[in-house]
Amino acid sequence: MSTHTESGTWKLRHRVRVSGGEVATDVFGQGSPVILIHGTPASSFLWREVAPILAREHAVHVWDLLGYGDSQPAPGVLPSIDLQARTLAELVRHWDLDAPALVGHDIGGATALRAHLVHGVPVRRLALLDAAVLGAWLTPFTHHMRTHADVYRTMPAHVFADIIRPRLHTATHRPMSEAVTSAYLAPWDGAAGQQRWIDQVEGVSDDETRDIEARLHEITVPAHVLWGENDQWLPPATAARLAAAIPGAGLTMIPDAGHFLPEDSPYDTAQALLRFLD
């Protein structure tokens, strides 16, 4: 596994056929199992510096959500949160895991919760990072894209690229290098990547989290909420509300970090996770 930040070197070695398409996966280290679940518009690349630290003590499973990174949904399949949750349930069975810890960022947090609460995936612990769970969490940017999807699908690819590049830069508090930015944007390059982006925009909805928000009180396993203090996408005040909604959940706020918490502060994120997981 490469963790070279500037070059953006990161490649998942395995492919798993699931009902919704084909998923890129990998696993590193040994010990109690932990599954890292990224959000939108990222990929498992988000975890490239967190995973090696966790892998010193755990078997760390990473995967690209369907429609993201190197994972491909089946033709005509929109990558909804429920699809990702069902896919996670399939992967847990594929990996033959008993009760893994789930670590979810952004819609990865909603995916983890939905897999557990709706699709019955047994878990040991739940960690939610800048998670898209409470209320109407879709950003105005995403709302506009959903409302005018036909416009975004048909605009010239270079114009679309000029729109999403500066948007991505707002995901972190610390400036990303051009190499890292390009690595995040690589799956969205060109006309095909543009359609892929709009697919995921149309596929996600805060409608898919209302039922799990209403069931957060049912969570009985240890849970912890981590949040970047400078998150510009999901208000930091949301962190305390989410932790309060889950019985016994802990809360850690990470300073000098934005929405892409594992990108801004990988070491602090990994250390907070290790304290919780152990």
Side-chain angles (χ1 to χ4, degrees):
M1 170 176 62
S2 173
T3 59
H4 196 291
T5 303
E6 291 306 309
S7 70
T9 302
W10 174 262
K11 196 73 174 176
L12 302 186
R13 297 169 294 180
H14 309 301
R15 300 294 180 272
V16 178
R17 294 296 307 178
V18 294
S19 58
E22 183 181 76
V23 178
T25 74
D26 220 322
V27 58
F28 312 106
Q30 295 182 334
S32 60
V34 177
I35 303 176
L36 303 181
I37 313 156
H38 68 84
T40 180
S43 68
S44 59
F45 180 74
L46 179 75
W47 303 112
R48 70 196 181 283
E49 294 190 77
V50 172
I53 299 174
L54 299 184
R56 297 171 191 166
E57 301 181 23
H58 299 274
V60 180
H61 296 260
V62 295
W63 59 297
D64 289 337
L65 301 183
L66 283 169
Y68 300 76
D70 288 330
S71 292
Q72 300 293 335
V77 174
L78 282 178
S80 67
I81 293 173
D82 190 64
L83 173 66
Q84 310 295 1
R86 286 184 280 116
T87 300
L88 176 55
E90 291 183 59
L91 289 174
V92 169
R93 291 192 294 270
H94 171 80
W95 290 322
D96 195 24
L97 303 181
D98 184 16
L102 302 183
V103 177
H105 173 259
D106 186 78
I107 65 165
T111 296
L113 289 171
R114 194 164 190 83
H116 178 54
L117 292 172
V118 177
H119 298 290
V121 173
V123 300
R124 182 173 64 90
R125 288 174 180 255
L126 280 166
L128 304 171
L129 285 61
D130 298 83
V133 177
L134 298 184
W137 47 262
L138 282 178
T139 64
F141 180 84
T142 303
H143 265 301
H144 194 271
M145 279 196 162
R146 285 174 61 87
T147 303
H148 305 285
D150 57 334
V151 174
Y152 286 99
R153 283 191 186 278
T154 55
M155 67 175 51
H158 71 277
V159 175
F160 184 78
D162 287 343
I163 292 173
I164 64 172
R165 179 173 283 269
R167 173 60 178 170
L168 182 66
H169 279 295
T170 66
T172 59
H173 179 64
R174 298 183 174 97
M176 284 186 283
S177 70
E178 280 306 303
V180 170
T181 301
S182 295
Y184 276 112
L185 291 173
W188 317 113
D189 280 348
Q194 177 178 348
Q195 300 308 312
R196 224 180 161 209
W197 180 292
I198 303 304
D199 283 347
Q200 60 90 11
V201 164
E202 291 194 304
V204 300
S205 168
D206 41 29
D207 290 340
E208 293 183 279
T209 58
R210 290 196 180 97
D211 57 340
I212 60 175
E213 180 179 357
R215 297 179 59 184
L216 292 175
H217 67 280
E218 298 177 18
I219 295 173
T220 58
V221 299
H224 202 87
V225 175
L226 287 83
W227 219 273
E229 285 187 352
N230 303 96
D231 190 333
Q232 296 183 52
W233 291 15
L234 295 176
T238 307
R241 292 172 50 223
L242 180 57
I246 301 172
L251 172 63
T252 299
M253 302 298 295
I254 305 293
D256 300 318
H259 185 66
F260 276 19
L261 176 57
E263 180 64 46
D264 263 328
S265 299
Y267 179 79
D268 289 345
T269 299
Q271 291 304 314
L273 287 173
L274 283 174
R275 288 192 294 271
F276 170 62
L277 294 171
D278 295 338

